[in-house]
Amino acid sequence: MGLSKKVTILDYGSGNLRSAQRALERTGAEVVVSADATAALEADGLVVPGVGAYEACMAGLREIGGERLIADRLAAGRPVLGVCVGMQIMFTEGVEFGVQTHGCAQWPGAVTRLDAPVIPHMGWNVVDAPEGSTLFKGLDADTRFYFVHSYAAQTWTGAADAKLTWATHEVPFLAAVENGALSATQFHPEKSGDAGATLLRNWVDSLD
């Protein structure tokens, strides 16, 4: 048995941190919840959670210098996992209630409101994962994950070799992206039962 992987959940005032911590601890990882730059930079993996409004998440992130921490990790090829709004803020901008908010700009494109009669998209849904996905390894095509969101990235203009996972709520949207050291899910793995546990274990197992 090797040493357990060290994972930091970035605490910037957003996200269900304790449930994410418990879910990651069940993978065997050593998990801390912290806003500390050293903890964020030195961990084997950094998780960026997020719930609520894009604008509020970015404000909280900027307060602790989180944007730079994410950029520095990724520039060094160090893994980052964004969850829910933590995925959305990886894109260039979010548009909510007519307000444009600049994001972390790790991926090009905007996060916009889903054009669906019932919003938010809340509950269990299947996803269409690509061949060779690390996150979805060992999971069947009919596996369901737990979503709760009104906004999403609905197009991809980033790297051609990124692995894209799509889902549909009246319209198609990105349910997950795997792009080098940066991965993200629009759904909540920590609320997705055994399927989410498998996905988190796959991510932790992939950490160097």
Side-chain angles (χ1 to χ4, degrees):
M1 289 288 288
L3 294 171
S4 61
K5 306 288 173 58
K6 290 183 168 60
V7 173
T8 295
I9 299 172
L10 192 60
D11 182 2
Y12 64 100
S14 179
N16 192 345
L17 304 180
R18 298 304 161 194
S19 67
Q21 182 180 16
R22 286 193 297 270
L24 281 157
E25 283 173 345
R26 284 195 286 271
T27 71
E30 187 182 315
V31 185
V32 297
V33 175
S34 179
D36 179 71
T38 303
L41 289 170
E42 292 186 355
D44 297 312
L46 179 68
V47 175
V48 182
V51 295
Y54 191 108
E55 188 178 22
C57 283
M58 281 308 302
L61 194 66
R62 289 194 173 113
E63 237 170 69
I64 66 156
E67 205 175 358
R68 172 44 59 106
L69 293 175
I70 292 165
D72 286 351
R73 275 192 69 92
L74 292 172
R78 307 273 285 152
V80 174
L81 176 67
V83 174
C84 197
V85 183
M87 170 176 173
Q88 296 178 7
I89 60 177
M90 298 302 171
F91 288 86
T92 300
E93 66 176 5
V95 182
E96 290 184 352
F97 309 112
V99 176
Q100 284 182 299
T101 303
H102 192 69
C104 292
Q106 292 296 331
W107 292 326
V111 169
T112 54
R113 193 176 190 273
L114 293 171
D115 184 13
V118 178
I119 291 290
H121 169 221
M122 186 162 64
W124 297 85
N125 202 347
V126 294
V127 302
D128 183 14
E131 288 289 322
S133 165
T134 296
L135 293 181
F136 296 92
K137 183 180 172 186
L139 290 165
D140 295 333
D142 60 356
T143 300
R144 292 177 178 270
F145 296 89
Y146 188 79
F147 291 84
V148 53
H149 63 113
S150 301
Y151 296 81
Q154 297 172 63
T155 59
W156 177 259
T157 57
D161 61 350
K163 291 185 171 65
L164 308 178
T165 296
W166 295 87
T168 302
H169 179 65
E170 297 291 331
V171 292
F173 65 90
L174 281 164
V177 176
E178 298 164 71
N179 176 210
L182 180 55
S183 298
T185 66
Q186 178 60 65
F187 54 84
H188 286 275
E190 78 281 5
K191 296 179 182 176
S192 295
D194 291 345
T198 297
L199 182 141
L200 290 174
R201 191 171 297 111
N202 285 341
W203 181 71
V204 168
D205 288 347
S206 76
L207 301 177
D208 292 331

